[in-house]
Amino acid sequence: MQKIKRFFLKVLLLVIVLAIVSVLMVMTISNQVKNRTEDDIAYIVTGEVKINPVSLQQLNQFDADCILVLGAGLKDAETPSDMLKDRLDVGIELYKQGVAPKILLSGDNGQVEHNEIHVMLNYAKNAGVTDEDIFCDHAGFSTYDSMHRAGSIFEIERAVVVTQQYHEYRALYIGKKLGLEVLGVASDQRNYFGGMYREGREILARFKDFFKALIKAEPALGGEAIPISGSGLVSHGE
């Protein structure tokens, strides 16, 4: 009986040690991703779609091929979520400020009832962005896929990435590891519901994408090239 108890105590101790090591490994990698990209993020004035002058000058000097706006869910079939609306507003303002000549909208169009690209495209058009300057990536199923396809499908070399701050670190890290030159603009304009959950989920996502970027995994879908230097109309699919 004592031997069985000692055995289970050893197993329990081993499980605890492995759990602690795993948590430390995940947190270390998450912090590494943040530390390697935090200096590449510019910020807007909270509550306003306005880039501070120093950041705007840096972005203009960067001479980006495009502004990459990452998807963030929908309220309904025709309405972006609050997070996505803020990303779109910031991306469109950057376009109007001349930060880049094109906008790439990357989102999940994997289901008929959840078509982020349809909503993002209409939003950009209604905001006055020239149709030919809008490119759509219908297979941006994940942050990793969006960043990979920006280079492999749309042949982008330099991009300004627009998303919320917590998400910027991972997006920029992936882009850099895949050979892109990237700067980020954090699009936070309000407090978003479920912030603590997203932060925790993001830590795990950084861990996962750290290794995907390390081996340069292929995205879920490939496809023919749609060079960002041309017209975006061919990518609209509508």
Side-chain angles (χ1 to χ4, degrees):
M1 191 68 177
Q2 290 298 323
K3 288 183 178 180
I4 294 175
K5 286 184 178 179
R6 284 197 297 269
F7 172 77
F8 280 110
L9 283 174
K10 288 179 180 179
V11 171
L12 179 60
L13 180 60
L14 178 61
V15 169
I16 292 172
V17 170
L18 289 175
I20 292 172
V21 170
S22 297
V23 169
L24 289 175
M25 183 181 297
V26 169
M27 294 304 299
T28 297
I29 287 176
S30 176
N31 289 333
Q32 182 176 331
V33 169
K34 292 181 68 174
N35 292 338
R36 290 192 178 183
T37 54
E38 60 186 353
D39 292 336
D40 299 312
I41 302 174
Y43 300 92
I44 66 167
V45 178
T46 303
E48 300 179 39
V49 186
K50 182 179 179 182
I51 308 295
N52 69 64
V54 175
S55 294
L56 186 57
Q57 182 180 18
Q58 177 191 16
L59 292 166
N60 282 326
Q61 291 175 344
F62 185 59
D63 193 26
D65 299 325
C66 79
I67 297 151
L68 170 54
V69 181
L70 300 174
L74 305 173
K75 285 185 177 180
D76 57 49
E78 299 295 334
T79 311
S81 66
D82 290 342
M83 293 184 74
L84 181 54
K85 178 183 183 301
D86 290 347
R87 294 181 191 186
L88 288 164
D89 286 342
V90 171
I92 290 165
E93 179 62 20
L94 291 171
Y95 168 83
K96 291 180 176 179
Q97 291 282 350
V99 168
K102 307 291 177 65
I103 289 183
L104 172 58
L105 308 174
S106 184
D108 187 348
N109 184 24
Q111 301 174 10
V112 174
E113 64 273 14
H114 184 84
N115 189 339
E116 288 182 353
I117 292 299
H118 166 78
V119 174
M120 295 169 78
L121 176 59
N122 286 341
Y123 194 96
K125 285 182 176 181
N126 291 336
V129 180
T130 304
D131 286 10
E132 291 84 354
D133 293 343
I134 306 172
F135 286 73
C136 297
D137 183 0
H138 298 261
F141 303 130
S142 68
T143 304
Y144 183 87
D145 285 2
S146 293
M147 299 308 297
H148 192 296
R149 287 171 56 85
S152 61
I153 301 297
F154 296 92
E155 299 183 353
I156 291 165
E157 296 180 357
R158 301 163 71 87
V160 172
V161 182
V162 179
T163 184
Q164 277 71 27
Q165 180 181 350
Y166 83 97
H167 187 218
E168 278 285 8
Y169 307 111
R170 178 162 58 107
L172 297 180
Y173 184 85
I174 294 168
K176 287 173 177 286
K177 284 297 181 180
L178 294 178
L180 302 178
E181 293 185 56
V182 287
L183 288 177
V185 176
S187 58
D188 306 75
Q189 297 180 63
R190 65 186 93 187
N191 291 320
Y192 304 100
F193 179 77
M196 290 185 65
Y197 168 76
R198 277 193 303 275
E199 289 285 351
R201 186 170 176 268
E202 186 65 15
I203 289 172
L204 296 175
R206 289 178 196 138
F207 180 78
K208 170 180 64 71
D209 284 347
F210 173 89
F211 291 101
K212 289 186 73 173
L214 183 66
I215 65 172
K216 294 181 170 53
E218 292 297 316
L221 286 179
E224 295 183 4
I226 308 173
I228 200 74
S229 56
S231 170
L233 291 175
V234 68
S235 68
H236 292 184
E238 294 195 351

